[in-house]
Amino acid sequence: MPPPFYGAPGAPQPPANVNGLAIAALVTGIVCLLPPLGLVLGAVALGRIRKRGERGTGMAVTGMILSLVSTLLVVAGLTTGAFRDFYDGMRDAADEVSRTRSTFDLRKGQCFNSPGGAIEAEAANVTIVDCAKPHDGEITGSFKITEFRKWPGDKPIEPIAERRCEALNTAYALDTWAVPDTAWLYYYQPSKESWAIGDRSVTCAFAAEKGKLTGSVRTDGTTLDQHQLAFLQSLNPIDAALLEEPEADVEEDQPGNVAWAQTVSATVTGAAAKLKAHPWPAAADKPVADLVEDLEAAGEHWAKMAAATDPDTFWEHYEPAYDGLPTDMGLEARGALKLDVTPPPTEDGGTS
């Protein structure tokens, strides 16, 4: 008898599908994304696995366990404040990063703090802060070095930076009385390394020599009204002209001293004319008129110094010319115009 025939063996059955929700539960549990969601996804996945004969039980259970742990950690964090502290720390860190700037990416009007709380020439980055809060410096502007094609070294750049930053600082803070005596001219200039990649910028600032600055020192067309601007723009050139007095006496350098007196004479006369021509508000009208009278009287002595042909004539009018200039430079007018009324200190500790 022939052996029984059982037929050809059947094709192998494909493995059961892995449940998608089980995968989602595992992923959600691992990355701690909405911890309770992992519990829900895992529970639904187990029900479908039993009904459909799918695979993924282990993944669903693991996801539920991880999500449960994450949920408990979040609850504990909210209860103890640890989660809030962590969030605040992350937010503060993000805020710190967003306010960090390269020293060559600073903009006019920004106030900043340097690393370690002190101005450092070698600092590459600083932190932008509100000018109303204590800060190390305030940016007054920037310019590009065009005098050199190749890296010249630090020394040749320094006099250019000092001269041009002085001009930018003066234009930024027209009311010099409002600048604290601890605020000094400061600048960041290109380094050899930054020059090699095309950096030519010098960034100018007022910086605290010691301690911190508080409040902006900016007094220009963006912060002053037309009367304040007219007053300061008329008087400030006098101070600038006086500072140019030659170091040598008239006996040693008569041409230089006479030329300086001519400059001051023209500046004083010009200031008086500008003040007289401007239409002042009622409160400032008389104080400004009194100031003009003083300037015109002083201007007569400066004119005689400027016309001196010998040292004796020059010295005869030297002290009257200086004494004729109002020592407070229009303090009453300043008050009427709501400008700073605290004279800057002199080298001997007094005020000028």
Side-chain angles (χ1 to χ4, degrees), residues 160-183:
I160 299 172
E162 290 177 6
R163 182 180 69 253
R164 297 188 63 180
C165 283
E166 180 67 40
L168 287 174
N169 283 19
T170 299
Y172 186 87
L174 290 174
D175 190 358
T176 57
W177 289 22
V179 179
D181 60 331
T182 57

Side-chain angles (χ1 to χ4, degrees), residues 102-127:
S102 164
T103 53
F104 300 107
D105 191 34
L106 294 169
R107 296 293 177 266
K108 182 178 180 179
Q110 291 180 327
C111 294
F112 64 92
N113 280 325
S114 290
I119 291 291
E120 299 174 350
E122 67 273 13
N125 295 292
V126 296
T127 302

Side-chain angles (χ1 to χ4, degrees), residues 210-221:
K210 57 183 178 181
K212 297 278 188 178
L213 303 177
T214 302
S216 175
V217 299
R218 189 170 194 170
T219 48
D220 58 9

Side-chain angles (χ1 to χ4, degrees), residues 2-308:
F5 178 73
Y6 295 102
Q13 295 297 315
N17 293 326
V18 177
N19 185 268
L21 289 178
I23 298 174
L26 178 62
V27 172
T28 303
I30 291 174
V31 300
C32 300
L33 178 63
L34 296 175
L37 179 61
L39 289 170
V40 175
L41 292 175
V44 174
L46 288 177
R48 291 186 179 182
I49 288 171
R50 285 194 295 269
K51 290 181 181 180
R52 301 176 183 178
E54 295 177 324
R55 294 183 298 147
T57 300
M59 287 187 286
V61 172
T62 302
M64 292 176 68
I65 293 173
L66 293 174
S67 294
L68 177 61
V69 172
S70 299
T71 301
L72 293 175
L73 289 174
V74 169
V75 171
L78 292 173
T79 303
T80 62
F83 185 77
R84 183 178 63 252
D85 293 342
F86 173 76
Y87 173 77
D88 290 343
M90 291 292 291
R91 183 183 59 189
D92 292 343
D95 179 63
E96 180 77 11
V97 170
S98 69
R99 292 186 292 111
T100 299
R101 295 286 188 279
S102 164
T103 53
F104 300 107
D105 191 34
L106 294 169
R107 296 293 177 266
K108 182 178 180 179
Q110 291 180 327
C111 294
F112 64 92
N113 280 325
S114 290
I119 291 291
E120 299 174 350
E122 67 273 13
N125 295 292
V126 296
T127 302
I128 303 301
V129 298
D130 187 338
C131 290
K133 298 179 179 179
H135 52 272
D136 292 326
E138 180 173 356
I139 302 302
T140 60
S142 62
F143 66 91
K144 291 187 179 296
I145 296 289
T146 59
E147 288 81 355
F148 310 104
R149 296 184 62 184
K150 296 182 179 180
W151 168 245
D154 292 324
K155 293 298 182 183
I157 295 178
E158 289 173 1
I160 299 172
E162 290 177 6
R163 182 180 69 253
R164 297 188 63 180
C165 283
E166 180 67 40
L168 287 174
N169 283 19
T170 299
Y172 186 87
L174 290 174
D175 190 358
T176 57
W177 289 22
V179 179
D181 60 331
T182 57
W184 291 67
L185 180 150
Y186 196 81
Y187 55 87
Y188 290 106
Q189 67 183 50
S191 64
K192 183 177 181 180
E193 292 74 19
S194 67
W195 185 282
I197 58 175
D199 175 35
R200 302 293 185 272
S201 296
V202 174
T203 304
C204 309
F206 278 109
E209 181 192 22
K210 57 183 178 181
K212 297 278 188 178
L213 303 177
T214 302
S216 175
V217 299
R218 189 170 194 170
T219 48
D220 58 9
T222 66
T223 62
L224 301 175
D225 63 35
Q226 60 171 329
H227 304 301
Q228 294 169 326
L229 273 174
F231 185 84
L232 295 172
Q233 289 174 342
S234 298
L235 288 182
N236 283 0
I238 297 178
D239 286 333
L242 292 173
L243 290 174
E244 297 301 319
E245 181 175 0
E247 294 185 7
D249 289 340
V250 65
E251 289 85 358
E252 300 175 7
D253 182 12
Q254 182 169 328
N257 279 270
V258 169
W260 165 69
Q262 291 171 346
T263 299
V264 177
S265 175
T267 304
V268 171
T269 302
K274 290 178 181 178
L275 292 172
K276 186 183 291 187
H278 185 83
W280 301 100
D285 198 39
K286 187 180 185 306
V288 172
D290 293 340
L291 176 59
V292 168
E293 185 177 339
D294 290 339
L295 290 174
E296 288 177 337
E300 294 178 4
H301 289 287
W302 284 103
K304 291 176 180 178
M305 286 174 62

